[in-house]
Amino acid sequence: MSNKEEIRALHTPPMTNTKFDTSQSIRESYKPQLSVTQENLNDTQGTITNNSPGQNHNHVELSKEEIDREINSIEQLPTDLSKLIDLFINDLKQPKYIKPLTVIQLSSLFQNFYTKFDRASFQYLSTIHSNSGSIGSGNGGNNDNGTTAENNGNTSGNSNLNGNGNGNGNNHGSQPAFLVARETLSSGLSGIFARSRSGSGSSLRRGRRSSSLFSIDSSNVQPLLSPEEIQKQLRTNELNNYKIDKLMSLCEREVFRRILEVGTSVASPPKEELVTRANHQKKTFNVTNLFRNSPEFIEFDKLLSEKLHTLSNLANHDKIDLVEFLKLPVGKNPNIESREAFDETEDLFTNLVSHTIAPCEKIAVILKIHESMMFSQEMCNDDFLPMLVYYIIKVCPKNIFLNAQFIKLFRNKKKLVQQEMYALTNFEAALVFVEGLTCTDFISSSQEKLTDPEKDTLQMPISSKISLPSPLKNSGSVNVDVTLHEAHPEAIRSNSYDGFKYAFDTSLKNIFGKIRSYTPPVQPINLPRSSSTLSLEVDKKASSSPTRNGVAPQPITTSSSASTTTTTAAQLHEGWKKYKDHKFEDLKVSELKEIFDIYQKIMG
Amino acid sequence: MNSSVTSIKLVLLGEAAVGKSSIVLRFVSNDFSENKEPTIGAAFLTQRVNIGEQTVKFEIWDTAGQERFASLAPMYYRNAQAALVVYDVTKPQSFIKARHWVKELHEQASKGIVIALVGNKLDMIENGGERKVAKEEAERLAEEEGLLFFETSAKSGENVNEVFLGIGEKIPIKKPGEQANEQSGLRITDDQRVDLTNSVDGPVRSAGCNC
């Protein structure tokens, strides 16, 4: 091994020095010893995938079963986290924005919420883990040696970094209990960072470490974690990451499910209608509602649908030969045109546009569409893309463009990476290809067969008629983020009374409709300040408090606006009298502010 | 999830049937790990490689090579840190197309993108086929445009790993600490990702002076 390294060191120039020709060096270094390189490459991959503990301490390999077991144990969101969703939806419905939010601004709010939820999930799991750690250590002690271990579990939980390992002096026989108790000390990331760096030594040091741990005068010495303990901690961390992923996808589902429950209609419909609508909506979620304030998207989608229908008709009436036009790989897979393949894909498309709600569910369907098209593990994009275009034209799914944009904007950006991102890009590329198709793309014999309306539809690319907001115009990637931060100056919040009045008509409510008042199941406004173990205060301050302290003290519906005026007058009258007998010198700042508010109301 | 893994988005460009995906499949097929990450055929693949002390994870994005789909390529190479421009050494037309890709990448892709020009199907020449693209010509192009250059055979595996190692070594990889400090929160990643925008001059900039 050292030999190989030496060879490499001799021939690989420092990458930071321009005087060396890197490509030349690499070529010269590796060419004569291709087998060595190959071996090296395999070695390194083996190291990573096989998790040889001696070489790679930082990597933890979890078996698929193990992950599945842990993940499947989470079936629904814990109440503490579920409350966050209630608060978010409640916050969305506050009339606090001067202008109706565009879909991009709305997406930004969702992405911010996902980030907060992610943090909260981490805190939640850390709390759970540290709690169960304490209990576990207590039990372990009872099972093994008796009361000492139990005490260790409790005391150590309180004295994190001092690491009171010496308390285990009486506990020589119960190593497992000791390990569990020690784990309590270092639950959470801080614990790991604080301790694992000193525990990264080899197992040879273990004897010495133990002796210092158990000695009486070691109270100020921070005990080291053994490699096993580090592994255990890392495993817990890794599992927590998977759990957070699961919680995040549950969160995505739950947010949109609740938006569905709240309804999206503008007027308040009668009760019976509401029930029917709710049932209907559960089956068919219409993403169009979210794009209500961004009509360019809806228009684009409409034109694309028209184009797709035209192309589909042309293909069905043999006016164009799609297979030939797209150069489908029929030679490799003759089933492309079969009825079964079409039916299967059609079902998936229907599922995508009609029977799925959350973006994570929709992107999973897009991945399934790719899977269903796959006739070989070695299939490349020379084959995928034309097939995707073919099926999109043949199936003509409704609102396909809006669905793709919905995923792009509302899927948790942290998870919209790798193969999900690739599949979505492929999907979008297929749509961009279709929207850009014009008559001139087809052979002249096909062009002659077109009727006038067909020619009109295929006259020019849709993108030359409708300009979408800049981040989406390129439609290449979902780097929504950057644009969102630019395009979303905190959604133009207003603290002025004028803005407040205006907000009645033009608040975010208009996006979700002037919906029947939504009552979240658990404590809609009262934050889980005292009861919750989560430290959500910071998040709350960022999201909800501006609303409560500033613009909209309570959720106010448009229907109540008439009565509000009279109430205000009555309150105003009370306010006048309240400070009648006060002297200016005695007034507190808060009272002065109140008087100023009254003054402003009078002037208003 | 491993914090020391740096992700590199690598996009494959080149005319249809020059062997883009074959090169990648050859590169990836050396790894027989059980816990393979999900892929989309050979269109999207991932592969981890150790380069120095760093583990680099290549996310390899294939593009459709047909001329009809050429205008869609920017959607794929957006935010890519590396690109493999592949041509067939026996097809001069594919080399002309490769020139176009290189030009387009320089104009439209991320500023510090590392491009490797790869002449594939070397085995055909070794088996008596006629070379139609001179090595010198390709080398000249590589030199002019600041590209890495390799001639490979996906069939025999010749030079394939070197392409990826070369790219991995040329991409400026930040240490985990630096990465964390400079996180702007504006990028969509789950692992660390190389930010080419801060290192236009590649490795030179990231180097500290020893004197």
Side-chain angles (χ1 to χ4, degrees):
Chain A
M1 172 138 184
S2 62
N3 261 345
K4 285 176 201 168
E5 277 174 1
E6 274 169 26
I7 291 164
R8 276 200 170 194
L10 280 169
H11 293 276
T12 307
M15 62 185 280
T16 50
N17 193 332
T18 42
K19 285 178 185 170
F20 290 88
D21 175 6
T22 326
S23 57
Q24 173 77 19
S25 170
I26 291 165
R27 215 163 37 245
E28 295 308 317
S29 301
Y30 296 120
K31 202 170 181 178
Q33 300 135 7
L34 190 64
S35 58
V36 176
T37 315
Q38 183 72 37
E39 200 184 319
N40 260 350
L41 194 69
N42 287 338
D43 277 355
T44 56
Q45 286 159 356
T47 307
I48 297 161
T49 48
N50 298 334
N51 185 30
S52 160
Q55 293 176 48
N56 197 348
H57 287 291
N58 292 328
H59 192 71
V60 185
E61 201 69 40
L62 293 162
S63 71
K64 203 171 180 307
E65 293 75 32
E66 209 173 346
I67 296 164
D68 287 346
R69 197 175 52 240
E70 289 289 334
I71 298 304
N72 293 337
S73 66
I74 304 171
E75 283 170 352
Q76 57 184 22
L77 286 175
T79 322
D80 287 337
L81 294 177
S82 187
K83 277 178 194 167
L84 285 179
I85 296 177
D86 294 331
L87 289 163
F88 172 60
I89 292 185
N90 202 53
D91 187 62
L92 276 180
K93 292 160 76 57
Q94 300 301 312
K96 60 183 177 183
Y97 301 103
I98 288 177
K99 285 181 181 172
L101 296 181
T102 65
V103 73
I104 296 178
Q105 290 169 327
L106 194 60
S107 146
S108 171
L109 292 178
F110 272 75
Q111 296 299 344
N112 287 343
F113 170 69
Y114 292 144
T115 313
K116 285 172 191 166
F117 194 91
D118 193 310
R119 275 205 300 266
S121 302
F122 175 74
Q123 284 172 350
Y124 172 80
L125 289 174
S126 304
T127 317
I128 295 284
H129 179 241
S130 63
N131 287 344
S132 65
S134 300
I135 295 161
S137 60
N139 290 341
N142 283 333
N143 291 341
D144 281 329
N145 252 357
T147 53
T148 332
E150 189 175 355
N151 289 335
N152 289 338
N154 295 332
T155 49
S156 58
N158 295 331
S159 54
N160 196 349
L161 286 180
N162 289 332
N164 272 338
N166 56 334
N168 291 293
N170 299 330
N171 201 16
H172 290 289
S174 62
Q175 179 85 343
F178 166 61
L179 284 175
V180 180
R182 279 255 308 266
E183 186 159 326
T184 318
L185 287 174
S186 49
S187 61
L189 269 180
S190 59
I192 290 168
F193 289 147
R195 312 185 84 229
S196 62
R197 80 199 138 109
S198 53
S200 58
S202 72
S203 55
L204 290 172
R205 287 151 100 197
R206 180 154 186 151
R208 194 177 161 189
R209 179 187 68 80
S210 302
S211 67
S212 76
L213 249 180
F214 294 127
S215 69
I216 295 166
D217 59 353
S218 66
S219 58
N220 290 326
V221 179
Q222 180 175 318
L224 305 175
L225 285 174
S226 67
E228 294 78 37
E229 288 171 301
I230 295 166
Q231 283 297 317
K232 202 172 173 183
Q233 288 286 12
L234 288 170
R235 284 172 71 85
T236 311
N237 252 18
E238 195 77 1
L239 272 177
N240 275 354
N241 284 335
Y242 285 109
K243 285 180 188 172
I244 289 171
D245 284 352
K246 176 71 185 263
L247 289 172
M248 287 308 296
S249 63
L250 284 174
C251 161
E252 245 182 64
R253 286 193 175 95
E254 194 62 13
V255 167
F256 287 97
R257 195 185 62 76
R258 290 198 202 175
I259 285 174
L260 255 186
E261 272 177 14
V262 172
T264 52
S265 60
V266 176
S268 280
K271 260 193 176 176
E272 316 84 66
E273 201 184 313
L274 264 178
V275 177
T276 342
R277 186 171 296 177
N279 288 337
H280 177 65
Q281 277 183 334
K282 260 176 199 160
K283 283 178 198 157
T284 56
F285 174 63
N286 192 356
V287 293
T288 318
N289 294 313
L290 292 170
F291 291 86
R292 193 177 293 170
N293 291 328
S294 305
E296 64 276 14
F297 284 90
I298 295 176
E299 189 58 23
F300 198 101
D301 184 66
K302 197 181 134 205
L303 292 178
L304 186 65
S305 289
E306 274 174 25
K307 203 168 213 175
L308 280 172
H309 274 109
T310 306
L311 289 166
S312 184
N313 277 333
L314 291 173
N316 291 339
H317 293 98
D318 292 328
K319 287 185 180 176
I320 53 170
D321 184 357
L322 268 187
V323 177
E324 174 57 30
F325 176 67
L326 295 167
K327 299 272 185 302
L328 288 189
V330 275
K332 296 181 197 167
N333 178 22
N335 287 333
I336 293 173
E337 289 184 276
S338 71
R339 186 74 219 170
E340 295 79 44
F342 177 78
D343 286 346
E344 190 190 346
T345 321
E346 189 180 30
D347 284 349
L348 286 169
F349 274 111
T350 315
N351 211 7
L352 170 71
V353 295
S354 304
H355 300 156
T356 44
I357 298 170
C360 58
E361 295 167 340
K362 288 183 186 286
I363 191 70
V365 178
I366 290 183
L367 281 167
K368 267 190 192 163
I369 291 173
H370 278 81
E371 211 175 288
S372 77
M373 291 189 303
M374 204 152 75
F375 52 80
S376 149
Q377 278 297 329
E378 299 183 356
M379 193 175 155
C380 63
N381 216 26
D382 289 351
D383 301 331
F384 269 118
L385 193 59
M387 283 177 74
L388 199 53
V389 174
Y390 174 78
Y391 284 122
I392 287 175
I393 292 175
K394 290 291 271 183
V395 177
C396 267
K398 202 182 157 197
N399 295 137
I400 188 75
F401 173 73
L402 288 184
N403 272 279
Q405 295 302 328
F406 171 68
I407 298 169
K408 191 166 154 177
L409 292 168
F410 294 95
R411 171 80 172 120
N412 180 7
K413 64 180 165 58
K414 217 177 144 189
K415 302 316 295 175
L416 191 58
V417 288
Q418 301 198 22
Q419 77 275 11
E420 277 195 15
M421 186 62 187
Y422 183 79
L424 182 64
T425 305
N426 237 6
F427 201 76
E428 282 195 290
L431 294 179
V432 168
F433 179 75
V434 174
E435 71 89 358
L437 278 180
T438 59
C439 306
T440 50
D441 289 318
F442 300 101
I443 49 170
S444 51
S445 61
S446 295
Q447 287 180 40
E448 286 162 11
K449 292 178 194 167
L450 298 178
T451 61
D452 285 345
E454 286 166 350
K455 277 181 187 164
D456 279 352
T457 316
L458 295 172
Q459 198 185 9
M460 61 168 83
I462 299 170
S463 52
S464 61
K465 292 183 200 167
I466 297 169
S467 174
L468 292 173
S470 53
L472 304 146
K473 221 191 304 189
N474 296 332
S475 23
S477 79
V478 186
N479 213 343
V480 184
D481 231 26
V482 182
T483 350
L484 292 183
H485 281 83
E486 287 161 3
H488 169 53
E490 251 326 281
I492 325 157
R493 267 185 198 163
S494 164
N495 278 323
S496 76
Y497 188 64
D498 276 350
F500 176 52
K501 278 197 293 185
Y502 186 52
F504 276 115
D505 296 324
T506 55
S507 70
L508 183 70
K509 276 196 156 188
N510 287 343
I511 288 171
F512 291 106
K514 287 162 190 141
I515 324 152
R516 64 203 153 92
S517 178
Y518 170 66
T519 326
V522 193
Q523 291 181 326
I525 292 295
N526 297 329
L527 307 178
R529 281 189 182 165
S530 50
S531 58
S532 170
T533 48
L534 298 170
S535 58
L536 303 168
E537 299 299 311
V538 181
D539 291 348
K540 287 289 131 44
K541 273 173 196 162
S543 62
S544 322
S545 345
T547 313
R548 250 172 284 121
N549 299 336
V551 184
Q554 284 163 14
I556 298 169
T557 58
T558 19
S559 56
S560 68
S561 60
S563 61
T564 316
T565 329
T566 31
T567 328
T568 319
Q571 283 166 351
L572 223 56
H573 194 62
E574 285 300 307
W576 268 331
K577 288 183 178 174
K578 193 175 169 185
Y579 296 104
K580 195 174 64 178
D581 302 317
H582 281 59
K583 284 183 182 174
F584 182 79
E585 291 81 3
D586 298 337
L587 289 172
K588 294 171 192 166
V589 178
S590 59
E591 289 167 339
L592 280 171
K593 192 180 176 302
E594 214 174 320
I595 292 169
F596 180 74
D597 286 345
I598 294 166
Y599 162 77
Q600 279 207 323
K601 281 173 191 169
I602 293 166
M603 294 312 288
Chain B
M1 299 294 169
N2 190 344
S3 62
S4 64
V5 178
T6 306
S7 290
I8 293 177
K9 178 179 168 182
L10 183 147
V11 69
L12 293 172
L13 294 164
E15 222 179 46
V18 292
K20 298 187 293 288
S21 51
S22 303
I23 291 175
V24 179
L25 280 167
R26 168 64 70 175
F27 171 57
V28 170
S29 63
N30 289 325
D31 183 5
F32 296 101
S33 85
E34 283 178 17
N35 290 324
K36 271 258 184 207
E37 291 184 39
T39 64
I40 303 172
F44 175 84
L45 293 161
T46 58
Q47 176 71 333
R48 289 173 191 237
V49 182
N50 280 1
I51 294 173
E53 290 179 355
Q54 282 286 327
T55 302
V56 166
K57 181 179 165 190
F58 285 105
E59 288 170 21
I60 304 161
W61 290 43
D62 190 19
T63 58
Q66 297 94 323
E67 187 58 37
R68 190 177 292 293
F69 300 119
S71 64
L72 306 171
M75 299 174 75
Y76 294 86
Y77 62 66
R78 196 158 187 262
N79 294 330
Q81 288 90 25
L84 228 67
V85 179
V86 187
Y87 68 92
D88 179 344
V89 289
T90 65
K91 285 186 185 162
Q93 181 59 34
S94 67
F95 183 68
I96 294 170
K97 185 68 198 163
R99 274 185 187 276
H100 285 132
W101 282 127
V102 171
K103 190 167 174 274
E104 186 177 320
L105 284 171
H106 278 315
E107 285 167 4
Q108 294 189 44
S110 316
K111 270 201 169 174
I113 189 167
V114 174
I115 305 170
L117 181 67
V118 178
N120 193 31
K121 305 199 183 177
L122 207 54
D123 53 287
M124 287 177 84
I125 298 169
E126 284 158 8
N127 292 333
E130 193 187 344
R131 177 192 274 274
K132 297 273 179 66
V133 182
K135 192 177 180 184
E136 294 71 33
E137 194 181 353
E139 275 175 338
R140 202 180 320 125
L141 173 67
E143 201 178 325
E144 282 166 11
E145 300 285 343
L147 320 172
L148 293 172
F149 172 66
F150 300 90
E151 283 193 332
T152 61
S153 164
K155 197 174 179 184
S156 69
E158 187 178 348
N159 248 356
V160 169
N161 290 330
E162 285 71 7
V163 174
F164 292 90
L165 286 169
I167 289 174
E169 287 178 10
K170 199 178 175 188
I171 284 184
I173 294 167
K174 287 182 182 176
K175 297 269 188 304
E178 292 174 51
Q179 196 90 22
N181 291 337
E182 290 177 26
Q183 280 278 337
S184 60
L186 295 177
R187 282 167 294 135
I188 301 174
T189 52
D190 59 346
D191 302 76
Q192 297 170 35
R193 198 181 279 282
V194 181
D195 184 5
L196 292 173
T197 52
N198 291 335
S199 50
V200 179
D201 294 339
V204 186
R205 279 274 171 86
S206 62
C209 182
N210 288 332
C211 39

